[in-house]
Amino acid sequence: MGTINNKQLPIIERFNDNNIKIFALGGLDEIGKNMYVVECDQELIIIDAGIMFPGDNYGIDYIIPDYTYLMDNVDKIIGLFITHGHEDHIGGIPYLLRKVSIPKIYASGIAVGLIKNKLSEFSNLSPNIIEYHNDSVFKFQNFEISFFKTNHSIPDSSGIAIKTNQGYILHTGDFKFDFTPLSGHTEYAKLTKYATEGVLCLLSDSTNAQVKKFTTSEKKIGDSIKAIFKQIKGRIIISTFASNVHRVQQIVEASVEQNRKVIVFGRSMAKVVNFSLKYNYITAPPGTFITAKEFPHLPPEKITILSTGSQGEPLAALSRIADGSHKQIKIIPGDTIVFSSSPIPGNQEYINRTINKLFKAGANVIVNSPLTDTHTSGHASETELKIMLSLTKPKHFMPIHGEYAMLKRHAQLAIATGVDPQNIHILDNGEVLTFAPNKVFTHYAVKAGAIYVDSNNEDVDNSIIRERKLMSDDGMLGIVFSTLNYKLMRLPNVVSRGFIYVRDSEALVTDIENKAKELYENYYSETKKFNPNQFYNLLLPTLADFIYEKTERKPMIVPIIMNV
Ligand SMILES: [Zn+2]
Ligand SMILES: [Zn+2]
């Protein structure tokens, strides 16, 4: 027994009992880094291994859960079960695998491809991935695991049903009820079957618990997009979340209907589209997709540009199009930009900036609203959550996947559908819900917390994050000048910490490197000798302005002279 957590619960490093225990290592009182654990006796199941994207950057790129408990109990781990392929559910897998040996990863459909894709960017990680299907069943000593298909904003999403000697534990994954789905219906019959056999505890997605009524069907959004496309005469630039494969399919269909060719801008979008075409998640008549080279020859009314940057990310394709720095396309009057997305909290300011620039450049901009219906959520609203509760009739209820207010609201909905208020469990990450034969309690916790990861995939210490918060909001940019007798030998080399992903921003990096080279050579050809202070005084303000102009960010710039 170690220390205590926020709620003054003792922290347990290892359990030696055969009670059923459920807890989250991430995902409670937050949106992101989802990771839930179900344990009994000598067996432990992990559900999902997500990351969270930090709202403020401070030189970190991801937040992952603290895996200490899993490291201490690695011998009990049966496997990792993945509900679907979103980053807040699979993004942590590479980091988890580095720390914890996972015998098997169970995933379905597109998630399998996305996980393999992700792992291919890391060396020495080749886990045993088992592809499960709707009717797969995996039997263990204490658990029998099966799946129920759901609808969500990425194909092949599932809930997980864990049969125990006290009844089913159901984990919904992320879901909505879409009665006109693009790829198959939710398996409603399974939900009522679980209820008949007895559901001990339901863990359900709380993201939209505060949203009234029903989440709009994806099909309806497709219809709206088609109607909008019909009226637009010039070029269409449409931006959505790259992983929303159904949406991309509908955008492609709307384009084909209007005899438009589709061109893809943005690395992550291109990756998803290629992948989805290969595995038939996206289908289109041959010749629908064209390259950047081909599109200048087409008239505006024949062009749809599918782009990343729906969140106004400064370096994504759409932002670069908006500020005129995109190499392949400039805004022309008559262009229409459609946001098939909604702002993730915290991004509104970036998005507004992008929209203003687009208007200034002479484009028309359409954003999602009740009038335009260019976007819908992948998460169940109030009525759907009540339907889930009514179909599964759980004895106990644990709202998951949401900030505290969402969990709290979801708990109220559960009580309204008839769950005993005593049996509602709004937990913290790490807090353990224990089902003993005759009682249910939350007397213990396991170690849970946040680990910060930077763009080099290294863990970053909490104290460093605090320092970075004080130091800078915009990360750090190092520039290495390799010189021989102070004559520049090659192009200066940019290294970034938390400012940009160098991999994703080759053009920007090259621009900065060229600018640095120009400044160095101008300085050295004038002075013929090298004085570091003099050079830095010249370099830093000029380069800072240059970077700000391109990114509207002010990273700390650290020049390094390597003279031989
Ligand atoms: Zn999701
Ligand atoms: Zn999620």
Side-chain angles (χ1 to χ4, degrees):
M1 198 179 288
T3 94
I4 49 174
N5 84 334
N6 284 348
K7 283 189 183 163
Q8 306 295 309
L9 299 173
I11 303 244
I12 307 291
E13 282 160 17
R14 191 176 172 89
F15 291 98
N16 287 304
D17 59 58
N18 51 15
N19 296 329
I20 295 167
K21 294 166 286 287
I22 305 176
F23 53 89
L25 290 175
L28 298 182
D29 197 14
E30 63 193 1
I31 299 274
K33 68 178 172 71
N34 288 287
M35 181 175 243
Y36 302 89
V37 173
V38 180
E39 185 179 333
C40 180
D41 197 15
Q42 296 304 307
E43 290 182 328
L44 182 160
I45 294 163
I46 307 167
I47 300 174
D48 290 334
I51 48 170
M52 184 154 76
F53 295 98
D56 296 310
N57 179 301
Y58 306 126
I60 47 169
D61 296 309
Y62 309 122
I63 304 172
I64 53 173
D66 185 328
Y67 300 133
T68 305
Y69 181 82
L70 298 175
M71 286 152 76
D72 290 344
N73 293 272
V74 66
D75 55 306
K76 293 185 181 176
I77 298 172
I78 296 171
L80 165 64
F81 290 81
I82 298 296
T83 58
H84 66 289
H86 277 152
E87 286 295 308
D88 59 323
H89 299 260
I90 66 167
I93 292 177
Y95 309 101
L96 177 67
L97 291 177
R98 280 179 174 180
K99 294 262 160 98
V100 185
S101 157
I102 303 289
K104 283 170 186 163
I105 299 177
Y106 299 83
S108 182
I110 199 168
V112 174
L114 291 170
I115 293 168
K116 286 185 176 164
N117 228 337
K118 175 177 292 299
L119 292 177
S120 69
E121 291 174 16
F122 293 77
S123 51
N124 300 327
L125 296 178
S126 47
N128 185 3
I129 301 178
I130 312 270
E131 180 160 7
Y132 69 76
H133 304 280
N134 293 349
D135 54 358
S136 300
V137 180
F138 299 99
K139 289 185 178 159
F140 304 97
Q141 207 122 35
N142 300 283
F143 306 116
E144 184 181 299
I145 297 172
S146 55
F147 308 89
F148 51 100
K149 181 190 161 47
T150 58
N151 296 119
H152 184 43
S153 46
I154 189 168
D156 306 323
S157 296
S158 290
I160 297 179
I162 304 167
K163 196 174 184 178
T164 73
N165 59 9
Q166 296 191 47
Y168 278 101
I169 295 164
L170 301 182
H171 184 297
T172 63
D174 294 4
F175 81 100
K176 68 195 269 188
F177 286 132
D178 193 333
F179 297 125
T180 50
L182 292 185
S183 65
H185 284 276
T186 296
E187 292 182 300
Y188 302 101
K190 281 189 183 171
L191 300 177
T192 57
K193 190 197 82 147
Y194 302 138
T196 316
E197 293 181 32
V199 174
L200 175 67
C201 188
L202 171 70
L203 285 68
S204 183
D205 174 6
S206 308
T207 315
N208 276 353
Q210 294 164 300
V211 180
K212 291 260 176 270
K213 296 184 185 164
F214 245 92
T215 302
T216 305
S217 169
E218 184 59 39
K219 175 76 171 49
K220 172 83 173 53
I221 303 309
D223 295 345
S224 310
I225 289 173
K226 281 180 184 168
I228 289 170
F229 274 31
K230 213 170 179 175
Q231 290 175 11
I232 297 175
K233 299 280 176 277
R235 294 190 303 194
I236 296 172
I237 302 170
I238 185 163
S239 179
T240 190
F241 302 103
S243 66
N244 198 333
V245 175
H246 292 318
R247 185 71 48 78
V248 173
Q249 173 69 39
Q250 302 204 96
I251 291 167
V252 170
E253 284 172 17
S255 302
V256 170
E257 235 178 66
Q258 301 303 320
N259 293 314
R260 287 174 183 268
K261 300 287 183 192
V262 180
I263 168 164
V264 178
F265 280 159
R267 198 178 88 112
S268 56
M269 186 65 85
K271 224 164 118 180
V272 170
V273 168
N274 288 336
F275 176 86
S276 303
L277 282 168
K278 188 170 158 196
Y279 293 101
N280 285 324
Y281 285 98
I282 294 176
T283 55
T288 302
F289 288 92
I290 56 166
T291 64
K293 282 206 187 86
E294 295 169 273
F295 96 98
H297 310 298
L298 286 173
E301 70 275 13
K302 295 271 176 268
I303 298 173
T304 299
I305 292 163
L306 181 60
S307 153
T308 53
S310 65
Q311 296 303 309
E313 307 92 314
L315 297 167
L318 187 60
S319 308
R320 288 186 286 125
I321 293 171
D323 65 23
S325 67
H326 198 285
K327 286 222 171 73
Q328 284 144 336
I329 171 176
K330 300 269 174 279
I331 292 292
I332 49 174
D335 283 350
T336 303
I337 288 81
V338 183
F339 282 81
S340 185
S341 58
S342 63
I344 293 170
N347 290 348
Q348 189 67 58
E349 194 192 322
Y350 282 124
I351 298 170
N352 289 348
R353 238 183 254 172
T354 303
I355 292 175
N356 279 328
K357 285 180 187 163
L358 290 166
F359 273 126
K360 268 190 206 160
N364 183 27
V365 179
I366 298 173
V367 296
N368 180 44
S369 75
L371 289 176
T372 57
D373 264 339
T374 56
H375 180 67
T376 184
S377 167
H379 299 275
S381 301
E382 189 177 307
T383 306
E384 296 151 276
L385 295 174
K386 284 187 186 159
I387 293 175
M388 177 60 86
L389 283 151
S390 305
L391 290 175
T392 56
K393 296 194 178 70
K395 186 163 182 215
H396 291 265
F397 177 64
M398 174 175 163
I400 57 169
H401 201 289
E403 291 164 10
Y404 185 79
M406 303 165 188
L407 304 179
K408 183 83 189 157
R409 178 69 193 139
H410 202 176
Q412 289 165 348
L413 300 177
I415 293 167
T417 62
V419 179
D420 183 343
Q422 304 262 8
N423 293 348
I424 304 266
H425 310 282
I426 302 179
L427 306 188
D428 285 338
N429 287 332
E431 190 175 353
V432 179
L433 175 60
T434 305
F435 295 92
N438 294 314
K439 59 176 179 176
V440 178
F441 55 88
T442 52
H443 296 167
Y444 307 112
V446 301
K447 191 159 188 261
I451 304 289
Y452 302 96
V453 181
D454 72 10
S455 54
N456 281 3
N457 297 317
E458 305 277 349
D459 294 2
V460 182
D461 205 285
N462 275 12
S463 61
I464 297 178
I465 303 300
R466 274 195 298 277
E467 225 166 76
R468 286 180 185 172
K469 280 185 190 184
L470 293 171
M471 189 172 76
S472 162
D473 277 1
D474 283 345
M476 190 273 273
L477 189 86
I479 304 177
V480 185
F481 296 83
S482 304
T483 57
L484 178 65
N485 295 327
Y486 294 107
K487 237 182 115 50
L488 206 53
M489 292 197 296
R490 62 180 82 96
L491 202 59
N493 183 20
V494 162
V495 275
S496 161
R497 290 284 178 281
F499 166 57
I500 46 169
Y501 298 108
V502 171
R503 267 192 307 212
D504 284 355
S505 323
E506 279 162 37
L508 176 69
V509 167
T510 312
D511 286 352
I512 295 172
E513 289 172 344
N514 281 321
K515 186 74 188 172
K517 174 175 183 250
E518 180 194 316
L519 290 168
Y520 187 93
E521 285 179 342
N522 285 348
Y523 165 77
Y524 194 70
S525 69
E526 263 177 40
T527 58
K528 304 279 189 263
K529 60 181 193 319
F530 186 80
N531 173 325
N533 283 341
Q534 218 175 32
F535 175 59
Y536 295 164
N537 284 339
L538 179 104
L539 173 83
L540 295 179
T542 316
L543 208 54
D545 286 350
F546 181 78
I547 292 168
Y548 185 77
E549 235 171 66
K550 294 200 170 291
T551 63
E552 301 198 343
R553 292 174 68 186
K554 292 179 177 171
M556 186 171 79
I557 301 170
V558 183
I560 301 154
I561 310 289
M562 308 248 293
N563 188 47
V564 287

